[in-house]
Amino acid sequence: MKSGRVIKVSGPLVVASGMENANVYDVVEVSKNKIIGEIIEMRGGDASIQVYEETTGIGVGDEVVTTGSPLSVELGPGLLETMFDGIQRPLVALKDKAGDFLLRGSEVHSLNREKKWDFVPVAKVGDELESGDVLGTVQETVVVKHLIMVPNGIEGKLVDIKSGSFTVDSVIATIETKDGKKDLTMIQKWPVRRGRPYKKKVDPKTPLVTGQRVIDTFFPVTKGGTAAIPGPFGSGKTVVQHQLAKWADAEIVVYVGCGERGNEMTDVMMEFPELIDAKTGESIMKRTVLIANTSNMPVAAREASIYTGITISEYYRDMGYSVAMMADSTSRWAEALREMSGRLEEMPGDEGYPAYLASRVADFYERAGRVICNGHDGREGALTAIGAVSPPGGDISEPVSQATLRIVKVFWKLDYDLSYKRHFPAINWLDSYSLYQDKIDKFIDHEVSSEFSKNRQEAMSLLQEESALQEIVRLVGRDSLSEEDQLKLEVTKSLREDFLQQNAFHDVDTYCSLKKQDLMMKLILGFYHSAKDALKHGAYLSEIENLPVRERIARSKNIEETNLAEFDVIFDEIKDELEGLRKGGSINA
């Protein structure tokens, strides 16, 4: 290992001379405390290093030693149910070693070296293997079977494979390659800034069902898609991210708390272990990896945390799983880029962000996708990337939001006015969009209901008409509208309050299946069509507005998934009550 000497310290930036033999992105150890850093720029023999811990006490002349390898993560059994910091140090293991107040330079293995895992071989001696082929399996948690794969760059004949209980660093197989024999363990190391390889990307067509009505019905995302959630402070970004992590039908969830407040990660740690996955009956932590680099943790490590999260996500994608990665928030990551860029004295771009901001954002989101994985079996995996953006004052014309919107295909715009009215999720249905809509319409029309997309389009048309009608109401009052237009306002109010609004903290309403979403939409639109017909046959709008069935429609969101037959009863009530008005009689007569 080659060493140099510190010549400058500026916050998280350290400059060292005598580093001619080092490379950009090499990991280094700074000072006698062996504080971890990463070289981000080389000028001759001077290396600019972003340090992942507090630099107080580091002085000119302190030794800097390069490890000769890039910032990498350890991939293997033991990732799930663990909370890591931004450079993949397990926080519980750090606490056990150093106490509640972590010492600088504290070092522990990312994966537990003492725990034994039951390895069940799949490959047989004599098999010709390539990168990505499955050697065997480990039951990592009760719900996730971990595939131990041949690492990238290794291929050849399997000459030995073991069976039994082993630690992650024990040799479990030997492959005869053209360069000689290679011993394999359950651990793979991978540099975080390089995407993991795959055979090819394929078109994402299957929806990632989130259980959130405004998302699944109006602005869906696919498995392998990309989505952004921009919104001002207090508009509910974090709760939406939590809901997606809890209920999205991904097999693996990687949640990255990047620069957000520590109490938000505390909420995750308190809530997730208690939440039971309806499909497995187990805690959702059994399929979740948490990465915490909150606002009071080192700035430079925020940037690394996003890459650590996406690399772990790619690893599970390579096993053939559907993975959802939540990044909360990419704005804090961009702010870390801006701080380091400023300290490097680079030419600033818009609002002080570096000129390469857009390409860094693109590099991150382009690692998402649905792919044919490496290996002979042709398994398919998907990685969905969902990033929250926190534009100052909710102004999405700022650089991070604009760079993100140029790349992602789903835009869920959170609206402060909606959140002020206590309308959650506060996703603005007039400004948001999904470029996957046509693909998902075909899927849902085939799998759920042939009328789903037609009803969705009608509901969206009504909501758009409501916006124009509200302008008239503000100018000249509601009574100036025709009765049919006043009925539209009543129905769109029902769409907003009974369908689009959803209570994340209600036992039943927190999750809504596609089937229930379809029935709720049919209920509201069915009422609209029947009421419009009744108006034409002499019914009074005031009578329609006061029908008892309207309360039943409003409460339909609280019907349990096991009791969806109750919707048929409400459909009959709508028909009976409006028939009574249509015939000229009062329903209360």
Side-chain angles (χ1 to χ4, degrees), residues 444-456:
I444 296 181
D445 283 352
H446 182 264
E447 297 291 330
V448 180
S449 166
S450 59
E451 298 178 339
F452 192 95
S453 61
K454 179 173 74 70
N455 289 338
R456 176 191 61 76

Side-chain angles (χ1 to χ4, degrees), residues 512-582:
C512 188
S513 67
L514 287 177
K515 182 64 178 172
K516 184 176 171 183
Q517 292 180 42
D518 177 54
L519 289 170
M520 288 180 66
M521 197 158 49
K522 279 180 178 173
L523 203 63
I524 295 168
L525 294 177
F527 172 80
Y528 172 58
H529 295 144
S530 298
K532 193 161 68 167
D533 191 51
L535 273 181
K536 287 178 183 175
H537 288 83
Y540 292 109
L541 180 63
S542 58
E543 290 182 303
I544 293 173
E545 289 175 346
N546 293 316
L547 288 174
V549 76
R550 295 202 63 207
E551 180 67 18
R552 297 271 283 154
I553 294 171
R555 294 184 180 277
S556 66
K557 62 170 71 177
N558 297 329
I559 295 174
E560 296 191 11
E561 298 285 346
T562 55
N563 196 26
L564 296 184
E566 199 171 325
F567 279 93
D568 293 332
V569 177
I570 306 175
F571 278 118
D572 290 340
E573 288 181 16
I574 291 172
K575 184 179 177 183
D576 292 344
E577 292 185 12
L578 285 166
E579 276 290 318
L581 291 182
R582 183 178 173 185

Side-chain angles (χ1 to χ4, degrees), residues 119-130 133-137 148 150 156-163 172-176 184 376:
F119 175 75
V120 179
V122 171
K124 298 179 179 64
V125 171
D127 287 352
E128 288 289 340
L129 301 178
E130 63 179 39
D133 279 337
V134 179
L135 291 167
T137 63
I148 306 299
V150 178
K157 182 187 285 188
L158 184 65
V159 294
D160 182 43
I161 189 163
K162 298 176 182 176
S163 174
I172 52 155
T174 304
I175 289 183
E176 181 79 63
L184 303 181
H376 284 106

Side-chain angles (χ1 to χ4, degrees), residues 78-89:
L79 291 169
L80 296 177
E81 299 186 89
T82 306
M83 177 185 270
F84 299 100
D85 72 355
I87 52 174
Q88 210 206 4
R89 294 182 301 182

